[in-house]
Each structure stands twice: as C-alpha cells, then as structure tokens.
Amino acid sequence: QVQLVESGGGLVQAGGSLRLSCAASGRTFRNYNAGWFRQAPGKEREFVAGISWSGDSTDYADSVSGRFTISRDNARSTMYLQMNDLYLEDTAVYYCAANNSFYVSRDVNEYEYWGQGSQVTVSS
C-alpha cells in the first residue's frame, strides 16, 4: 500500500502560480510511476502530468504543457506540480496518484493509489 497526501492548493488569481505537493508513505515511493489528475465540477477526472519512477521521463496534457512542471524527490518520497500562468479553466480538485506499471500512463484506471485531493481555484 502507498498512502498519498496532497497539499498546497488554494485560491489564486489568473496568471498566478501555485505549487502542489504529494507526500507518500507506506511502500517505497521510488518504485512507482506517478501522476497528477484533476476533476472540475460536472466533468470527468483528467490526466494533467505524469512522471516515471526515476524522474527521467515526464508527460503533460496539451492543456498544461509549457505552464506546469511535474517533479519528484524520491529521497523525500514527495512529488510536486509547479503550476504557472494559471487560467480560470485550471480550477479543479487536483489528485496525485501512483502505479507500478512499466510506463507513465494517462489512463486514470491504471493508477492504483490516490490521494484525497486538493482544491485549486483560479479567480479573475
């Protein structure tokens, strides 16, 4: 089992920045690929960014590419999502997730472990 806890969400004006953190405990986090997803009211949960267990490989949704950066510190069992130039449409609950597949996946169904979510609200 891997337990994940997100932090760092909040209210920010459009164009601003936030950094989300995902602290892992339980089994060794460095053994897992991981990712960030988000879910806006009335919408399905969608992929935002993913990172391999080593941190060498990353993937981004087109909607956030160039604005968001995913990273991880395996020594601290923590993953991050730096969000810059935030748009109104970035408003959502953000979830971190982990899986032990062989690749970084965009499929929500391939992730075994999930955090409880952190609200990000972007205002005009």
Side-chain angles (χ1 to χ4, degrees), residues 1-4 22-36 49-57 70-75 77-79 96-105 110-114:
Q1 289 277 348
V2 176
Q3 291 79 42
L4 303 171
C22 174
S25 60
R27 291 191 174 182
T28 306
F29 183 58
R30 69 168 63 90
N31 292 338
Y32 293 84
N33 295 324
W36 289 95
I51 189 166
S52 62
W53 66 270
S54 65
D56 289 345
S57 178
I70 189 171
S71 62
R72 66 191 296 165
D73 183 342
N74 285 336
S77 296
T78 303
M79 179 175 66
C96 64
N99 71 30
N100 62 359
S101 67
F102 290 105
Y103 56 92
V104 178
S105 175
E110 294 191 1
Y111 284 79
E112 303 159 72
Y113 304 106
W114 291 87

Side-chain angles (χ1 to χ4, degrees), residues 16-122:
S17 298
L18 279 176
R19 188 176 82 156
L20 300 180
S21 298
C22 174
S25 60
R27 291 191 174 182
T28 306
F29 183 58
R30 69 168 63 90
N31 292 338
Y32 293 84
N33 295 324
W36 289 95
F37 291 76
R38 66 187 181 186
Q39 188 166 19
K43 294 188 176 181
E44 294 186 351
R45 193 169 299 188
E46 64 174 3
F47 171 80
V48 174
I51 189 166
S52 62
W53 66 270
S54 65
D56 289 345
S57 178
T58 59
D59 186 25
Y60 296 92
D62 289 346
S63 59
V64 307
S65 182
R67 300 187 296 123
F68 291 11
T69 302
I70 189 171
S71 62
R72 66 191 296 165
D73 183 342
N74 285 336
R76 290 181 166 82
S77 296
T78 303
M79 179 175 66
Y80 305 96
L81 184 68
Q82 177 66 43
M83 304 184 292
N84 297 331
D85 191 20
L86 283 158
Y87 302 161
L88 296 178
E89 51 264 41
D90 294 319
T91 295
V93 177
Y94 283 71
Y95 299 89
C96 64
N99 71 30
N100 62 359
S101 67
F102 290 105
Y103 56 92
V104 178
S105 175
R106 295 187 172 200
D107 186 347
V108 63
N109 295 310
E110 294 191 1
Y111 284 79
E112 303 159 72
Y113 304 106
W114 291 87
Q116 83 288 351
S118 181
Q119 177 69 48
V120 171
T121 302
V122 184

